[in-house]
Amino acid sequence: MSITFKQVEAFLALARTLSFSQAGELVHLSQPALSANIRRLEETIGARLFDRDTRSVTLSAAGREFEDIAAGLRTHVVQGLNRMQEFVAGRHGQLSIAVAPSVAASSLPSILMRYKAVYPNIQIRVHDELSNACAEMVRSGLADIALMPERTDAEDLIQQVILRDPLVVLCASDHPLSARSHVGWDDIIESDLVVRSNDSSVRQLLDGKYLQHGAILRPAYEVNHVLTALGLIAAGLGIGVVPSSLLSSVNMTGMTCRYFDEALTPYWTICISMPKTRSSPPAAQSFVIMCLEHFHASASDLQT
């Protein structure tokens, strides 16, 4: 037989008041129910905790020994419940986030700064990975949520769109396209192109656009990292097509940004992705809300 929290509360109330009626009121038990709890507790411990007669109730030697133990048990339980309430409210715990590199370099720092200011007791781990890896991390549980491009092969994930990011063209300041106010796909196809590897979602989008225009993408340079691509573009070795949100974190020295004709503008769609069959920690919900607020504010700024 084990000790229940109700028995501990009943004992501490009776030890404090030395009155069955007053103790019953404190723990919301009738006198018979209080007596039953004390009796079962004494049976479990194997000793009388109170000496009582028709006129008085006093703690026995075993009762005095158990009093500190009971108080410690109650404190531990109360602290544990408070911690669980903080966890359920999303104010305590851990959050593992998988993030596509372009999002990690552009929007994530601002979101994290605000999130940590409001929820300082959440431990955050960030995994900056390509889209394929982000999806697998959410599926396996290594990440609670992911900020990544929308995927057509992720029916097992909840994908909530948070951003439709127009793609723009980057070229060297002295590149022929820098003199154009807008560019079209014919301009892109005729130019040397610097692209990321096949795992990049933007690269996959570009492959599709080239096919739509009857061409096959054969890049001048294929690289793994954004900074490498930017260096090649700034040196005039080719142009690049990147999400517009990336511009806020890019050193544009030596480069110029040009936009597509409005009707031809392609969009890079970013989602918050979560598993359908596994619940996310409460801290994830508040992070999702801040992401939505951030991207909504960003979209509003672009329109003003």
Side-chain angles (χ1 to χ4, degrees):
M1 186 182 296
S2 59
I3 295 174
T4 68
F5 187 60
K6 197 65 178 179
Q7 292 170 359
V8 172
E9 285 190 311
F11 168 82
L12 289 171
L14 187 55
R16 174 185 172 188
T17 62
L18 299 178
S19 165
F20 276 86
S21 60
Q22 293 179 35
E25 292 177 0
L26 287 176
V27 294
H28 308 292
L29 290 174
S30 64
Q31 289 190 45
L34 179 71
S35 297
N37 274 279
I38 296 298
R39 183 174 62 255
R40 286 193 291 269
L41 179 61
E42 290 176 328
E43 290 171 354
T44 300
I45 292 175
R48 180 180 288 275
L49 299 174
F50 294 94
D51 294 321
R52 44 204 185 266
D53 54 32
T54 56
R55 301 182 60 181
S56 65
V57 177
T58 57
L59 278 167
S60 68
R64 289 192 296 273
E65 181 69 19
F66 184 64
E67 187 173 16
D68 286 342
I69 296 172
L73 289 172
R74 180 172 63 181
T75 298
H76 185 72
V77 170
V78 170
Q79 289 176 344
L81 289 175
N82 288 339
R83 178 171 174 172
M84 280 304 302
Q85 289 172 348
E86 289 288 296
F87 176 83
V88 172
R91 294 189 293 267
H92 177 84
Q94 299 179 343
L95 183 61
S96 179
I97 309 166
V99 192
S102 295
V103 182
S106 56
S107 301
L108 184 64
S110 296
I111 297 171
L112 287 180
M113 284 179 64
R114 184 183 170 204
Y115 187 81
K116 288 298 290 184
V118 179
Y119 302 99
N121 294 322
I122 300 296
Q123 297 180 1
I124 298 176
R125 184 172 185 184
V126 176
H127 309 269
D128 52 333
E129 301 284 353
L130 293 175
S131 177
N132 291 341
C134 287
E136 289 305 316
M137 292 189 76
V138 173
R139 289 185 177 113
S140 67
L142 291 176
D144 301 308
I145 58 177
L147 298 179
M148 66 183 195
E150 186 175 23
R151 298 181 62 89
T152 58
D153 61 347
E155 296 84 2
D156 56 329
L157 301 179
I158 299 170
Q159 298 189 88
Q160 183 176 0
V161 175
I162 56 174
L163 174 68
R164 291 186 71 246
D165 195 2
L167 297 184
V168 296
V169 178
L170 289 183
C171 62
S173 300
D174 58 355
H175 191 279
L177 289 184
S178 66
R180 302 280 301 274
S181 59
H182 290 80
V183 296
W185 282 103
D186 288 342
D187 301 313
I188 305 299
I189 292 171
E190 292 172 0
S191 301
D192 289 335
L193 193 64
V194 179
V195 299
R196 301 275 303 284
S197 64
N198 289 326
D199 288 337
S200 162
S201 58
V202 173
R203 166 65 184 275
Q204 293 166 7
L205 189 155
L206 289 174
D207 283 333
K209 286 294 182 182
Y210 268 63
L211 290 175
Q212 289 177 16
H213 289 79
I216 295 176
L217 173 54
R218 294 186 175 90
Y221 296 94
E222 183 175 307
V223 301
N224 290 323
H225 301 289
V226 173
L227 290 178
T228 305
L230 294 175
L232 296 178
I233 294 168
L237 295 171
I239 66 171
V241 180
V242 302
S244 62
S245 60
L246 185 64
L247 299 181
S248 62
S249 60
V250 169
N251 180 355
M252 292 294 292
T253 302
M255 292 188 291
T256 298
C257 172
R258 289 295 176 260
Y259 295 88
F260 285 90
D261 294 324
E262 186 173 353
L264 302 177
T265 300
Y267 286 86
W268 187 56
T269 303
I270 298 300
C271 297
I272 293 179
S273 299
M274 296 173 283
K276 285 184 177 179
T277 58
R278 188 180 69 251
S279 60
S280 299
Q285 186 57 41
S286 54
F287 184 81
V288 168
I289 291 172
M290 284 200 178
C291 287
L292 292 172
E293 292 174 349
H294 172 85
F295 288 111
H296 177 75
S298 298
S300 299
D301 290 341
L302 290 175
Q303 295 171 3
T304 57

